[in-house]
Amino acid sequence: MSNNIFLNIIVLFSPNYEKTNQLGCVTKNISLINQFIAFYRSIKKNIKNIKYDISIVHHKDFNMKDLSKLNSIDVNLIKFDCDKIEDVALSRYNVDTRIKGTHRLIAETDMLFLKEPNFNWNVDFQKMYAGTSNTFPICIMNKIYKIFNIKNKYIKNYNINRDLFVSYNVKKINKKYLFPHFNNGLTLVKEEYSKKFYKKLISFDFEKIRISFNKEYHHHFMQIIIGLLQLELTDNWEPFEPGINYLLKVYNCNKFGKDNIS
């Protein structure tokens, strides 16, 4: 089937030269431009059997030094007229790409392809679990369910497996026993489903909704919501294979096996 696949890799990369804290983002020692260049080179080196194109979505202007680097490689720059990095992030599900594809890989700069991943092209989306399932107490989760009209069929699994990432990747627990709290760093999504999901996303005023929750819940708010809303639209999904979107700080990569990380 891979002969019929065209993958648009859409990376969230809006420069943050002031190094200000941005909701949902974690500042790292390596600059964003160096993160992206390393990611770009790893794609070129390791993706051999899939046709693809790479795009960057951003809402702030790059300085001349960074822009020169980006103009020297094969990457499409897409700027949005908005104020919040969150809006840019969500736009990746709907933005017009220069080549229409069959799938989108929603990505961020702090990633590397170590080898070609084994994606499931037949499902509507794939994601990897987050580190923990009990970020929010039950009372807050019930409030979220009510606001977003989400079926509470997941509540029975909410506190069973606190470390979701380890439960799936290491303990090999079946997805039906895991709460669908995913890490939003990487998502593979079918093109048509992506558009459908975006329509659902923009039907909510997330900024207005978020302020009705205490600030302690703001950082992981979208991480919780996006997975739940995706599962409201489809049952045709799978977690990534273990080793895809591997969370280095959650589990020792030497114990897992570096060769098993893609």
Side-chain angles (χ1 to χ4, degrees):
M1 182 179 177
S2 59
N3 290 335
N4 300 320
I5 297 299
F6 190 94
L7 180 65
N8 276 299
I9 302 172
I10 307 175
V11 185
L12 174 65
F13 175 14
S14 204
N16 183 18
Y17 299 118
E18 303 83 8
K19 296 185 178 179
T20 55
N21 290 327
Q22 299 184 81
L23 186 62
C25 301
V26 178
T27 302
K28 296 178 173 63
N29 292 329
I30 303 173
S31 69
L32 289 173
I33 186 65
N34 286 338
Q35 288 178 40
F36 176 77
I37 294 297
F39 185 30
Y40 175 89
R41 289 175 177 169
S42 75
I43 294 170
K44 292 295 183 180
K45 178 180 179 180
N46 292 297
I47 306 302
K48 303 296 185 183
N49 298 305
I50 306 166
K51 292 178 289 186
Y52 65 86
D53 192 32
I54 305 172
S55 296
I56 285 173
V57 293
H58 64 106
H59 71 311
K60 293 183 178 180
D61 290 324
F62 293 98
N63 62 29
M64 293 306 297
K65 182 179 179 181
D66 287 355
L67 189 60
S68 176
K69 291 179 180 179
L70 294 174
N71 285 336
S72 69
I73 59 178
D74 183 23
V75 61
N76 184 35
L77 301 181
I78 306 171
K79 185 181 178 183
F80 286 88
D81 183 15
C82 62
D83 297 322
K84 301 191 293 293
I85 189 73
E86 178 183 283
D87 292 337
V88 187
L90 296 182
S91 73
R92 290 173 295 174
Y93 288 94
N94 188 60
V95 63
D96 290 332
T97 52
R98 59 183 173 183
I99 303 173
K100 182 174 173 57
T102 59
H103 295 72
R104 296 179 180 224
L105 190 67
I106 309 298
E108 297 180 358
T109 58
D110 59 343
M111 300 178 174
L112 291 173
F113 278 99
L114 303 182
K115 57 185 175 183
E116 193 160 57
N118 185 24
F119 291 137
N120 184 343
W121 305 107
N122 297 311
V123 297
D124 288 328
F125 77 86
Q126 285 193 282
K127 296 178 80 76
M128 177 50 68
Y129 292 101
T132 180
S133 66
N134 66 340
T135 305
F136 296 359
I138 292 291
C139 62
I140 298 298
M141 291 305 302
N142 283 328
K143 182 177 179 180
I144 288 174
Y145 285 152
K146 184 176 181 180
I147 291 173
F148 291 93
N149 193 28
I150 293 171
K151 304 179 187 71
N152 66 356
K153 58 185 176 182
Y154 318 110
I155 210 76
K156 64 181 182 298
N157 296 333
Y158 186 59
N159 282 316
I160 292 176
N161 298 289
R162 296 191 174 190
D163 197 331
L164 291 163
F165 181 85
V166 171
S167 295
Y168 177 71
N169 283 276
V170 180
K171 298 179 180 178
K172 310 300 183 185
I173 295 176
N174 190 292
K175 71 174 186 179
K176 68 180 181 179
Y177 300 116
L178 299 176
F179 184 79
H181 177 186
F182 303 111
N183 178 275
N184 282 330
L186 194 71
T187 301
L188 178 71
V189 60
K190 277 187 178 180
E191 178 69 20
E192 296 310 315
Y193 174 81
S194 187
K195 302 278 189 177
K196 179 180 177 182
F197 177 58
Y198 183 76
K199 287 182 181 179
K200 187 174 185 71
L201 283 175
I202 62 173
S203 68
F204 300 104
D205 186 341
F206 288 106
E207 190 65 26
K208 185 176 181 180
I209 293 170
R210 184 185 278 112
I211 62 175
S212 66
F213 293 86
N214 293 337
K215 285 188 176 180
E216 62 188 293
Y217 303 121
H218 288 190
H219 182 75
H220 289 101
F221 184 79
M222 292 302 294
Q223 185 163 279
I224 287 277
I225 289 300
I226 284 182
L228 290 170
L229 289 179
Q230 284 180 315
L231 267 67
E232 287 294 288
L233 291 178
T234 184
D235 292 321
N236 182 31
W237 69 280
E238 288 292 335
F240 284 127
E241 283 191 353
I244 299 179
N245 200 23
Y246 192 84
L247 304 180
L248 283 172
K249 293 184 178 180
V250 176
Y251 190 78
N252 187 306
C253 64
N254 292 311
K255 288 184 179 180
F256 184 78
K258 290 183 180 179
D259 290 343
N260 297 321
I261 301 173
S262 54

